[in-house]
Amino acid sequence: MPHERSRPEWQLDSRVSGHCQIVIAGDWIARSGPLPAFPQSAIASVPAGESLGIDAGGLGDWDSGLIAFVWDARRMAASSGLSLDVSALPAAAGRLLALLPDVVGPQAPPRRPEFRPLRWVGGAALGSLGAIGGATALLFATVGGAARAGVGRARLRRADLFDNIRDAGPQALVIVGVVNFLVGAILAFVGAVQLRKFAADMYVANLVGLAVVREMAAVMTAIVMAGRTGGAYAARIATMEGNEEIDALTVIGIPVSDYVVLPAVLALVLTMPFLYLFGCLVGMLGGFAVSIGMLNITGAGYLTQTLDAIAFSQFVFGFLKSIAFALLIGVASCRIGLQAGRSAADVGQAATRAVVLGIVGVIAMDAIFAVFADVAGI
Amino acid sequence: MADAAPVLLSVRGVTLAFGAKIILHDLSFDVRRGSIFAIMGGSGCGKSTVLRAMIGLLRPRAGTIAVDGEDFWSAAPSRRAELGRGCGVLFQSAALWSGLSVAGNVALPLQMFTSLDAVAIRRLVVLKLALVELSEAIDLAPAELSGGMRKRAGLARALALDPAILFLDEPSAGLDPIISRRLDDLILNLRDGLGATIVLVSHELASLFAIADDGVFLDADSRTAIAHGAPAALRDSCADPQVRAFMRRERPDVVRS
């Protein structure tokens, strides 16, 4: 509105005995600023048995701010046994007021978390057991699906599998390469500083080679894939859940484990070991680059030393570890996606949980493998 | 009454397209102030697309959409946002923000675009939710609402800033006849009470006859408007047999002129 707004004002006029009036004046536009509120005390000053009306002679522009004020007044009047006559208001305002109830129904009280530590611990424990159980069941269903796919009887769509493999494999090469190259380079750098003190420059190759092949390539690759692919799986499946796509699959009897989970997990299991081998190669290349640049060592010397240091069994061990990591990331992230709620916030939460669980799970599993390898003497 | 009122929204020669695919071409119609204007037509004729262009989500390939004489799409982005705040939109799926409670959904526009304090905002939120008969759900999350409640919560959010124009995309789709009827009454009351102009997309005939007093009929084959007028008038006396058949729920080949 182009004209200057006048201040919204009101007062209670009880000069005429037997008839009290709420005098409203000015422009009552909620958007233009704070409006007066009708106080409970105002009604208390109206003598019992008097009629209560409104004088809207000075009312200018109005919107729902005025309605809120009059509605408050009417409800407070009603609670003191008075009735407010709103017929003096503009007809449109009267229509809106007619839509509003005199009593606002009981509102569900907002739920507040209670302080129940035992319940939290118990709930968390049961929840974790349930999650492990659910993930194991999903793992078995997926392995069963894979077995059926092996004999050509599962409803695994090849196109889905190839899409997933392309996403988890070739498209991940660059980031897996960069991470492993840098890790190899950092190992060489740290090792070189120490080993040079003992004139053992040569052994940087052993250090980098062993560390990369045994631990770093498998773990770093799995962490990258947990962040990149695990998070994406969880978000995708949670979104499908929200769109009722999962329900639609369930209803027509397509097992979710075959159609959604199997291609995702299978793609990770098929690509991760090769990403691991690629990571080993690139990691050692990183160490090689730093060693050649920094140390008194020849390329041929580095290569010979590396080949001497690493037994073939180390690769096999890393290869198997990668498969286990892939299973863990794939099944856990799909399970988290399937368990997620239906809102946008739930999708974000599912992706976060999948990434966190993937990374922590990979590192914990790697520790178990280390103990196992120590006992087995690998 | 609607004929005498001045034109508020004017769509002139508008062509809408997604890439190379023309959805509608040469579309013209006027929405008069205070009217309830229906955008009608069969599924896939581009009703929702027109709505998207009118609420500023899709720039027309050609033509103008003027709000109160001001060309919306040639205005500066900041002015467009300002014009947009004068519009309330109820989306087809209600599109409530799932991270906020029902009250939070209605309060957000007020928090963003007014200088009101939390108490004043809460009073307006309570009022808007009472208007759509949703007082009891004020602190629930959108995920806890039924379809009809979601629609009404979306309507309360659309009303948050007391818009001059209210756009409703399929307001009664998916609702039972009784709730749908109550929503129709509510829309009429809101128009009369708030003095808002309402543009709605719908193919619920009963609801169209009950509330709309003007409209445009779009056709998927010719990809433009083939009739203008109130739904009841189109049903009774439209020159185009196809439109009459649609409005009477008859098969086109059965209708005779």
Side-chain angles (χ1 to χ4, degrees), chain A residues 7 50 54 81 195-196 233 263 342:
Chain A
R7 260 165 53 86
E50 290 217 343
I54 287 182
L195 291 173
R196 211 168 359 183
Y233 285 170
R342 290 167 184 259

Side-chain angles (χ1 to χ4, degrees), chain A residues 154-346:
Chain A
R155 277 148 288 205
L156 170 67
R157 285 168 27 114
R158 223 171 272 166
D160 287 344
L161 181 63
F162 288 141
D163 278 353
N164 278 298
I165 287 181
R166 189 171 21 146
D167 183 61
Q171 292 187 0
L173 278 177
V174 173
I175 181 165
V176 167
V178 168
V179 168
N180 279 293
F181 183 89
L182 292 177
V183 167
I186 293 164
L187 281 171
F189 203 78
V190 174
V193 173
Q194 300 302 320
L195 291 173
R196 211 168 359 183
K197 292 182 186 162
F198 306 100
D201 299 24
M202 207 60 184
Y203 290 97
V204 169
N206 297 46
L207 175 81
V208 171
L210 262 180
V212 164
V213 171
R214 252 193 102 116
E215 297 293 344
M216 293 322 262
V219 172
M220 294 316 289
T221 304
I223 286 177
V224 167
M225 295 308 280
R228 188 184 171 281
T229 310
Y233 285 170
R236 186 179 71 194
I237 294 174
T239 309
M240 290 178 75
E241 184 82 47
N243 291 342
E244 299 182 325
E245 291 174 50
I246 301 288
D247 296 347
L249 287 173
T250 313
V251 167
I252 51 172
I254 298 176
V256 176
S257 56
D258 281 12
Y259 183 77
V260 183
V261 181
L262 184 56
V265 174
L266 212 52
L268 266 183
V269 169
L270 291 176
T271 55
M272 190 93 100
F274 296 100
L275 286 175
Y276 156 75
L277 291 180
F278 172 72
C280 289
L281 194 70
V282 177
M284 287 190 276
L285 198 66
F288 179 80
V290 168
S291 304
I292 295 292
M294 267 184 68
L295 299 171
N296 195 9
I297 189 169
T298 63
Y302 189 94
L303 282 182
T304 326
Q305 196 68 22
T306 303
L307 289 176
D308 268 357
I310 310 165
F312 182 70
S313 63
Q314 307 284 3
F315 280 106
V316 176
F317 186 53
F319 199 85
L320 292 177
K321 273 208 296 196
S322 293
I323 294 176
F325 292 161
L327 268 178
L328 171 81
I329 295 170
V331 172
S333 50
C334 290
R335 162 86 187 161
I336 288 171
L338 286 171
Q339 289 299 102
R342 290 167 184 259
S343 75
D346 291 329

Side-chain angles (χ1 to χ4, degrees), chain B residues 131-142:
Chain B
L131 278 177
V132 299
E133 297 178 55
L134 215 55
S135 299
E136 74 284 358
I138 186 163
D139 286 314
L140 296 184

